[in-house]
Amino acid sequence: MTLKELATRLDISTATVSNAFNRPDQLSTALRDRILREAKTLGYSGPDATARSLRTGRSRIVAVVLAESLTYSLNDAVASELLSGIAEVLDAHGRTLLLVSGRQHANRIPDSASMADGFIIYGLLPNRKMLADLPSRRPFVAIDYDLEGCPTVHVNNEQASYAIACHALAHLPQRPAVISLRLTKHPCNGRISAEQELLAASQTITHCRLQGFQRAFERYAIDPASVPMWNIEENTFAVCMPVIEEILDLPEGQRPTLLLCMSDRIALTALTLAEQRGLRVPDDLCITGFDGIAEGQYRAPRLTTVRQDSLAKGRLAASMILGKEPMTTTWLETELILGATCPPSA
Amino acid sequence: MTLKELATRLDISTATVSNAFNRPDQLSTALRDRILREAKTLGYSGPDATARSLRTGRSRIVAVVLAESLTYSLNDAVASELLSGIAEVLDAHGRTLLLVSGRQHANRIPDSASMADGFIIYGLLPNRKMLADLPSRRPFVAIDYDLEGCPTVHVNNEQASYAIACHALAHLPQRPAVISLRLTKHPCNGRISAEQELLAASQTITHCRLQGFQRAFERYAIDPASVPMWNIEENTFAVCMPVIEEILDLPEGQRPTLLLCMSDRIALTALTLAEQRGLRVPDDLCITGFDGIAEGQYRAPRLTTVRQDSLAKGRLAASMILGKEPMTTTWLETELILGATCPPSA
DNA sequence: CTGAAAGCGCTTACAG
DNA sequence: CTGAAAGCGCTTACAG
């Protein structure tokens, strides 16, 4: 059943039927009611979305392009929270959320993504050119990474890392270590050697976090070069585990006593493995995270970390896409969370 | 730039240009190469997805309709894992994932959802009639709840619950308690009184879980009516917490020594709160979960639970939608996970 | 191997 | 307040 058929049955024009659904003010109430009633009877549930979309040029769909795989993103607490924020705003405005991965098997964004009215790009795509096929006229908003010609929602990673490292380093004396996330140019799941090339700050937010840590080292008169660093390739339990085991299994005198982790997932894995080894946190080992995910706060001991408000990030990005907020690059605040894995010094 | 404009510029028909993109066998390689080259030069990135969709009747989008809000679903480990499984299969076949909530503010599914080529319905919708506006000709697959006229992907909740309860009750003597999830007809976040009406097994999978527990009680000669039950309204830390505090704060002799929880989230909240109170798990308190989420397994002590393979659920549902698996109702296996929160009896 | 023509289901100026 | 007509951008038998 199409609008045209319905019009024929009612012996009126398609324009009037269309108006009955879209512009109540364009026809009499009586006629409109009759049309709507008849539509229901005949099983016509309103204008076809695709046809309407072709005609009006708007689909009421907003796409989120994720730099990581959908599987990773959906299972990552930070990405999930971000998506929640986006979904919440889209929902409230009758928009629908299309999830697209930038790591498609074909390394190309599926055509169907281009139906969206706007695009939110989360993370650093493996290949910028993927975006070229997307309709450039429509609004784009980036999250976490600058994308030329479009506003970005940022968190001040350097400042947040500086803050938490300063908090942690106030305990003296300690042997700090850094556990970073995708910081090396070439894949490395383990200790970072001195000659290893690192990604630039423009290529990964974890470099910004590193800079914050290093500024804190300097403030506390610690030579940044003396602080051992380990790198983790994927922010999941399974991938974190072997690297952290390697660290915790170091002989007592060499084992770090403070782990500055670049994500809560890393920190929580360290916490679990430390507990399994009978290490006391924070007495034997202090641990700090980054992100402020729920899992770190609803457990004992509570994780000391810095919270980035991913929900707010998502809400803001979605609001910008919908034109409810100005399209301008914005830096969101972070908040230090003083948990028990690295308590304030006495 | 449209296909028609491109055809005009090249002085060939639109049919040929269309074939260049869709049916390489319908024209000479030379002509096709020329068309593709010229398209790239002129910035034409292929046929418009909406127009193609209108014409062919297929959008290559698959919609997942979630009974819960998107915010809840995205932050729930079970739903996320399910979505991962769906996304994985859709991705591999060039399909894109549209997320739709059945708890929209307007209590109506947005029109744009009807663009999808197929629908996966997850959970029990607050209102079945919402689906009426969706194109009934296209494939539908339900997950966890039967939906008339469409195949469902199920887990045998009763059997899984029976298995884990039997495992737990083998420790004797104990004072078991059940912490259920949305089991009461009317909202209740706390102890379930004897006169409280429960939802039927067809209305909630947790009733099936309860039946499994009760069968185990009978096997162990425990009067089901003697086992206290608490109900939780939402499977989140925040909502679980007050209920579990109430339980753990019971005087020593009344406090249950075994908590049969209907989700891992409930069990993990119980574990955290027990740890905070200095209760020893499993010595003072045994805890079992349901779901088998990662968070319960990558912590110390590991959660004793029963795993439902949400990933497999999602994969199967998506495969059915894409016609890669027969459209038939299927029951997936579960697996007992013997963790440390309720170890096998010595 | 290529093209003319119909039509997918709508919405929207515009005329009456 | 209502309707005739154009056109959104494409694909697909079909004819040549």
Side-chain angles (χ1 to χ4, degrees):
Chain A
M1 169 70 66
T2 68
L3 184 147
K4 196 174 166 192
E5 279 170 52
L6 181 59
T8 307
R9 298 254 195 143
L10 292 170
D11 202 32
I12 53 180
S13 76
T14 60
T16 300
V17 178
S18 175
N19 285 333
F21 283 97
N22 303 314
R23 303 178 163 191
D25 55 308
Q26 297 291 301
L27 72 176
S28 66
T29 315
L31 179 54
R32 176 160 190 261
D33 288 349
R34 185 177 146 234
I35 294 172
L36 263 31
R37 203 180 333 113
E38 203 66 13
K40 187 160 266 178
T41 310
L42 296 171
Y44 178 73
S45 56
D48 177 84
T50 305
R52 161 183 287 178
S53 178
L54 175 60
R55 182 57 234 230
T56 63
R58 295 189 305 109
S59 62
R60 302 182 69 82
I61 290 174
V62 171
V64 177
V65 181
L66 299 151
E68 304 294 327
S69 71
L70 291 183
T71 298
Y72 171 81
S73 303
L74 288 165
N75 289 297
D76 177 65
V78 176
S80 294
E81 207 185 309
L82 179 95
L83 289 172
S84 291
I86 294 171
E88 191 190 299
V89 173
L90 296 186
D91 244 40
H93 292 90
R95 304 308 205 283
T96 246
L97 175 58
L98 191 72
L99 246 36
V100 183
S101 170
R103 306 237 161 162
Q104 227 70 16
H105 66 131
N107 212 29
R108 233 183 136 280
I109 292 183
D111 290 348
S112 48
S114 61
M115 290 189 190
D117 294 334
F119 300 87
I120 297 174
I121 317 295
Y122 180 46
L124 188 66
L125 294 177
N127 181 355
R128 279 185 108 96
K129 280 178 282 178
M130 299 182 88
L131 299 180
D133 290 344
L134 262 24
S136 53
R137 296 288 178 75
R138 290 176 212 163
F140 278 73
V141 171
I143 296 179
D144 282 350
Y145 290 90
D146 287 312
L147 207 60
E148 57 175 326
C150 92
T152 305
V153 179
H154 275 297
V155 150
N156 196 328
N157 288 288
E158 199 275 346
Q159 190 180 294
S161 297
Y162 175 72
I164 192 156
C166 284
H167 163 77
L169 293 170
H171 295 261
L172 287 170
Q174 292 194 92
R175 276 194 306 280
V178 170
I179 313 185
S180 71
L181 200 54
R182 289 225 190 119
L183 184 59
T184 58
K185 187 156 184 183
H186 301 290
C188 159
N189 209 48
R191 177 113 186 221
I192 304 179
S193 62
E195 53 276 6
Q196 207 132 333
E197 262 187 280
L198 302 187
L199 293 170
S202 62
Q203 293 170 294
T204 172
I205 48 174
T206 59
H207 196 126
C208 304
R209 294 183 191 172
L210 179 61
Q211 290 175 331
F213 288 164
Q214 294 185 333
R215 188 153 61 90
F217 293 149
E218 280 158 17
R219 170 168 164 192
Y220 282 91
I222 298 170
D223 174 12
S226 74
V227 178
M229 298 208 292
W230 278 264
N231 188 62
I232 282 179
E233 279 301 311
E234 191 185 71
N235 195 38
T236 56
F237 290 115
V239 177
C240 290
M241 198 142 41
V243 176
I244 291 167
E245 281 175 335
E246 176 187 320
I247 300 172
L248 297 184
D249 288 342
L250 286 171
E252 177 97 25
Q254 285 175 41
R255 197 202 310 127
T257 57
L258 167 61
L259 297 179
L260 297 168
C261 305
M262 289 202 189
S263 78
D264 281 359
R265 170 66 45 231
I266 298 174
L268 288 167
T269 307
L271 189 50
T272 297
L273 295 177
E275 284 173 339
Q276 282 178 355
R277 281 164 174 67
L279 291 173
R280 290 167 308 158
V281 175
D283 304 294
D284 300 328
L285 181 67
C286 282
I287 301 174
T288 66
F290 197 109
D291 290 334
I293 65 176
E295 187 181 337
Q297 299 308 305
Y298 289 89
R299 55 119 56 232
R302 268 179 62 221
L303 196 60
T304 297
T305 189
V306 54
R307 171 159 172 79
Q308 60 166 322
D309 195 342
S310 303
L311 213 50
K313 265 181 170 173
R315 285 187 189 129
L316 179 56
S319 298
M320 293 190 342
I321 288 291
L322 298 185
K324 307 288 173 189
E325 290 285 344
M327 290 284 262
T328 41
T329 291
T330 312
W331 295 81
L332 261 35
E333 292 301 307
T334 57
E335 181 198 357
L336 205 56
I337 298 182
L338 301 179
T341 61
C342 183
S345 47
Chain B
M1 169 69 67
T2 67
L3 184 146
K4 195 176 166 190
E5 278 170 52
L6 181 59
T8 309
R9 299 254 195 144
L10 291 171
D11 203 32
I12 53 180
S13 77
T14 59
T16 300
V17 177
S18 175
N19 284 333
F21 283 97
N22 303 313
R23 301 178 165 191
D25 55 307
Q26 298 291 301
L27 72 175
S28 66
T29 315
L31 179 56
R32 177 160 189 260
D33 288 348
R34 185 176 146 235
I35 294 171
L36 262 31
R37 201 177 336 111
E38 202 66 11
K40 187 159 267 176
T41 310
L42 296 171
Y44 178 72
S45 57
D48 176 84
T50 306
R52 162 183 285 177
S53 179
L54 175 60
R55 182 57 235 231
T56 63
R58 294 188 307 108
S59 62
R60 302 182 70 82
I61 290 174
V62 171
V64 177
V65 182
L66 298 151
E68 304 295 326
S69 70
L70 291 182
T71 298
Y72 171 81
S73 302
L74 288 165
N75 289 296
D76 177 65
V78 176
S80 294
E81 207 186 309
L82 178 94
L83 289 172
S84 292
I86 294 171
E88 191 190 299
V89 172
L90 295 186
D91 244 39
H93 292 88
R95 303 310 205 281
T96 246
L97 175 59
L98 191 73
L99 246 36
V100 182
S101 171
R103 305 237 163 162
Q104 227 70 17
H105 67 132
N107 212 28
R108 230 181 139 279
I109 291 183
D111 289 348
S112 48
S114 61
M115 290 188 190
D117 294 335
F119 300 87
I120 297 175
I121 316 296
Y122 180 47
L124 188 67
L125 295 177
N127 180 356
R128 281 185 106 95
K129 280 178 281 178
M130 300 182 86
L131 299 180
D133 290 344
L134 262 25
S136 53
R137 295 289 178 75
R138 292 179 210 160
F140 278 72
V141 171
I143 296 179
D144 281 350
Y145 289 90
D146 288 313
L147 207 60
E148 58 175 325
C150 91
T152 305
V153 179
H154 275 297
V155 150
N156 196 329
N157 288 288
E158 198 274 346
Q159 191 179 293
S161 297
Y162 175 72
I164 192 155
C166 284
H167 162 78
L169 292 170
H171 294 260
L172 288 170
Q174 292 194 93
R175 276 194 306 279
V178 169
I179 312 186
S180 71
L181 200 54
R182 290 225 189 118
L183 183 59
T184 57
K185 187 156 185 184
H186 301 289
C188 159
N189 208 50
R191 177 114 187 220
I192 304 179
S193 62
E195 53 276 6
Q196 208 132 335
E197 262 186 280
L198 303 187
L199 293 170
S202 61
Q203 294 170 292
T204 173
I205 48 175
T206 59
H207 196 126
C208 304
R209 295 182 190 171
L210 179 62
Q211 290 175 331
F213 289 163
Q214 294 185 331
R215 188 153 61 91
F217 293 148
E218 279 157 18
R219 171 169 162 191
Y220 282 91
I222 298 169
D223 174 13
S226 74
V227 177
M229 298 209 291
W230 279 265
N231 188 61
I232 282 178
E233 279 301 310
E234 191 185 69
N235 195 39
T236 56
F237 289 116
V239 177
C240 289
M241 198 142 41
V243 177
I244 292 166
E245 282 177 332
E246 175 186 321
I247 299 172
L248 297 184
D249 289 341
L250 286 171
E252 176 96 26
Q254 286 176 41
R255 197 201 313 125
T257 57
L258 166 63
L259 298 179
L260 298 167
C261 304
M262 289 201 187
S263 78
D264 281 0
R265 173 92 295 131
I266 298 174
L268 288 167
T269 307
L271 189 49
T272 295
L273 295 177
E275 284 171 342
Q276 282 178 355
R277 281 165 173 68
L279 291 173
R280 290 167 307 158
V281 175
D283 303 296
D284 300 329
L285 181 66
C286 282
I287 300 174
T288 65
F290 197 108
D291 289 335
I293 65 176
E295 188 182 337
Q297 299 308 304
Y298 289 89
R299 55 118 59 230
R302 268 179 63 221
L303 195 61
T304 298
T305 188
V306 54
R307 172 160 171 77
Q308 60 166 321
D309 194 341
S310 302
L311 214 49
K313 265 180 169 173
R315 285 187 189 130
L316 179 57
S319 299
M320 293 191 342
I321 288 291
L322 298 184
K324 308 287 172 187
E325 290 285 344
M327 291 283 262
T328 41
T329 291
T330 311
W331 295 80
L332 260 36
E333 291 302 307
T334 57
E335 182 198 358
L336 205 55
I337 299 182
L338 301 178
T341 60
C342 184
S345 46

